[in-house]
Amino acid sequence: MPVRAVLFDFSGTLFRLEEDDSWFAGMELIDDDGRRAVDEHVQAELMERLTHPTGRSVTMTEDSYRTWVNRDLAPALHREAYLHALRQTGLPDHHAETLYRRTIDPASWVPYPDTVEVLRSLKASGLSTAVVSNIAFDIRPAFDTAGTGADEFVLSFEVGVVKPDPRIFQIALQRLGVDPGEAVMVGDSDENDGAARNVGCDFILVDPLPVAERPTGLVDALRDRGIG
């Protein structure tokens, strides 16, 4: 069955949160050993927790873990969950707030070098596209700034379901009016994005490398499947 639609994850697939060293200027961690500056190692750890959170990365009560699990279903839960994680890392409240605001600002997200090319090429070829993301804030402004977009945005906080739940992929397929066998999901998580295979979609895994290190990752991956 020919491909009629391509579904994309957002973070680590089409865009990436690319931090600037200035974000951490003057920040300190406060823990049992006292105060220490946020060096490049701590910076990398904080960004990993913000962009690729898995499991219980910090100490959590039953209530805070429940909030963490459901964070992408509502902006308030998202904020509470991430501020807790940042504070548990040792960031004081005001620094945690500052870093969190950077995370949810669409202007902080940078498109991969071939994102615009791929989305425009697919549209020109008559293929439908959708962004399917576990996220708790509106990412459409990031696409507007980049000068591109998708036919549909299926965002967890708007539809009330998160990957790997098959319903989020079914919503995207229904909106695009295509059968699962006519669609391919592209994402950086085999667990979450790869769950599209459970509803009958094909799946392509990409590496969430820094933007400068993955200039043609999307183009290459799609061409390997004869798409684009």
Side-chain angles (χ1 to χ4, degrees), residues 9 11 13 52-56 65 68-69 71-72 132 134 162-169 185-199 201-206 208:
D9 172 50
S11 175
T13 300
H52 297 98
T54 56
R56 299 187 188 219
Y65 182 65
W68 179 255
V69 170
R71 66 192 181 277
D72 288 318
V132 184
N134 288 353
V162 298
K163 297 176 287 188
D165 192 312
R167 290 176 294 172
I168 196 167
F169 304 110
M185 175 74 197
V186 182
D188 69 315
S189 169
D190 188 71
E191 178 183 358
N192 287 334
D193 304 314
R197 290 175 295 210
N198 295 331
V199 301
C201 295
D202 193 5
F203 173 63
I204 298 174
L205 182 68
V206 294

Side-chain angles (χ1 to χ4, degrees), residues 10 15 34 51 53 61 69 91 94 99 102 105 122 124 129-131 151 166 174 181 194 201 205 219 221 228:
F10 174 66
F15 284 69
T51 56
T61 64
V69 170
L91 277 182
H94 62 292
L99 190 54
R102 295 279 193 183
D105 182 357
L122 292 174
T129 57
V131 177
D151 295 305
Q174 289 167 1
C201 295
L205 182 68
V219 169

Side-chain angles (χ1 to χ4, degrees), residues 2-35:
V3 172
R4 294 179 53 210
V6 183
L7 316 181
F8 291 97
D9 172 50
F10 174 66
S11 175
T13 300
L14 292 176
F15 284 69
R16 191 172 189 273
L17 184 64
E18 295 270 298
E19 75 274 17
D20 187 285
D21 287 342
S22 65
W23 292 9
F24 302 91
M27 283 192 180
E28 292 181 317
L29 296 185
I30 302 176
D31 53 30
D32 294 340
D33 297 322
R35 294 176 177 267

Side-chain angles (χ1 to χ4, degrees), residues 92-127:
D93 287 354
H94 62 292
H95 288 328
E97 288 274 5
T98 297
L99 190 54
Y100 177 72
R101 285 197 298 271
R102 295 279 193 183
T103 303
I104 63 171
D105 182 357
S108 298
W109 292 80
V110 180
Y112 278 94
D114 54 351
T115 290
V116 173
E117 173 190 351
V118 162
L119 290 173
R120 289 178 176 174
S121 175
L122 292 174
K123 182 176 182 179
S125 299
L127 275 69

Side-chain angles (χ1 to χ4, degrees), residues 56 59-66 84:
R56 299 187 188 219
T59 301
M60 296 181 183
T61 64
E62 184 176 338
D63 286 342
S64 61
Y65 182 65
R66 187 180 302 111
H84 175 79

Side-chain angles (χ1 to χ4, degrees), residues 5-10 14 119 123 127-133 138-140 143 148-155 158-159 168-178 185:
V6 183
L7 316 181
F8 291 97
D9 172 50
F10 174 66
L14 292 176
L119 290 173
K123 182 176 182 179
L127 275 69
S128 300
T129 57
V131 177
V132 184
S133 178
D138 189 4
I139 56 178
R140 294 174 183 86
F143 288 83
T148 190
D151 295 305
E152 294 288 344
F153 285 84
V154 183
L155 312 181
E158 294 181 340
V159 300
I168 196 167
F169 304 110
Q170 291 165 344
I171 290 170
L173 296 171
Q174 289 167 1
R175 288 185 179 182
L176 295 177
V178 299
M185 175 74 197

